[in-house]
């Protein structure tokens, strides 16, 4: 399964939010398992304060990072989450939204969990924290994009949404 990523990755999602802040997380996409307190995988979401958030996890250790820009503005945006093995980086419309040290020693994704777009499948059987808005293309790469690649990708795909 190509989405059982255990190293560097980039997640990209075009979306327009209708509303956020109702739940702790409105999920864009990810492959995440937190059953029994064990946290495996990766996920990108909208936080309850309407900013972009992300998590990477391995066993009981996980790292979260959140941006600072309110993204509940009823406009299309390209949201990106990059993990390079040492740092979590967030981007909005090709521009850096924030960087944080990843306090995990590597990353694993549960082979039994599903890769989900627009919801979270934390337990393996129940879907929750659904995305409230319109979603366009969602992509996952098994490598970490650079800042210039993020800007380039935004410049080449924005004509589809803006």
């Amino acid at each position: 399964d190509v989405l059982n990523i255990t190293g560097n990755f980039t997640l990209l999602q075009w979306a327009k939010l209708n509303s956020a802040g109702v739940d702790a997380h409105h999920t864009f996409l990810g492959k995440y398992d937190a059953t029994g307190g064990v946290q495996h995988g990766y996920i990108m979401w909208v936080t309850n304060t309407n900013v972009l958030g992300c998590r990477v996890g391995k066993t009981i250790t996980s790292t979260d990072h959140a941006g600072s820009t309110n993204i509940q503005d009823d406009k299309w945006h390209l949201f990106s989450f990059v993990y390079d093995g040492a740092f979590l980086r967030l981007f909005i419309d090709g521009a850096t939204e924030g960087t944080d040290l990843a306090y995990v020693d590597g990353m694993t994704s549960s082979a039994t969990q599903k890769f989900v777009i627009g919801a979270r499948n934390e337990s393996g059987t129940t879907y929750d924290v659904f995305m409230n808005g319109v979603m366009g293309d969602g992509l996952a790469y098994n490598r970490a994009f650079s800042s210039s690649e993020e800007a380039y990708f935004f410049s080449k795909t924005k004509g589809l949404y803006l």
Side-chain angles (χ1 to χ4, degrees):
D1 184 341
V2 296
L3 295 172
N4 281 334
I5 300 169
T6 58
N8 301 349
F9 66 83
T10 301
L11 302 178
L12 301 116
Q13 179 66 60
W14 275 101
K16 180 171 79 168
L17 301 177
N18 291 338
S19 65
V22 178
D23 229 57
H25 306 128
H26 285 264
T27 306
F28 285 128
L29 45 86
K31 186 175 173 84
Y32 186 71
D33 178 8
T35 55
V38 177
Q39 300 180 11
H40 297 282
Y42 51 91
I43 192 166
M44 181 170 58
W45 70 81
V46 180
T47 72
N48 61 348
T49 57
N50 302 322
V51 298
L52 184 61
C54 63
R55 173 179 291 154
V56 63
K58 178 180 180 180
T59 62
I60 60 171
T61 305
S62 68
T63 299
D64 292 359
H65 179 61
S68 58
T69 302
N70 185 324
I71 56 177
Q72 184 185 359
D73 60 3
D74 199 35
K75 295 179 182 174
W76 281 99
H77 294 284
L78 175 63
F79 302 106
S80 305
F81 168 24
V82 177
Y83 173 66
D84 66 6
F87 292 93
L88 307 176
R89 294 183 292 137
L90 292 173
F91 295 84
I92 299 176
D93 297 337
T96 302
E97 176 65 10
T99 301
D100 201 0
L101 186 62
Y103 296 102
V104 292
D105 180 20
M107 195 270 305
T108 60
S109 61
S110 172
T112 60
Q113 266 328 24
K114 297 175 177 120
F115 182 84
V116 179
I117 298 173
R120 181 179 67 180
N121 181 240
E122 187 172 284
S123 66
T125 58
T126 304
Y127 294 90
D128 61 1
V129 292
F130 297 97
M131 176 62 194
N132 188 357
V134 182
M135 296 177 69
D137 293 324
L139 303 161
Y141 290 86
N142 63 354
R143 65 182 187 83
F145 275 26
S146 68
S147 296
S148 60
E149 287 175 304
E150 286 285 341
Y152 180 80
F153 187 89
F154 173 71
S155 72
K156 293 301 181 186
T157 61
K158 68 182 181 181
L160 299 170
Y161 298 97
L162 303 180

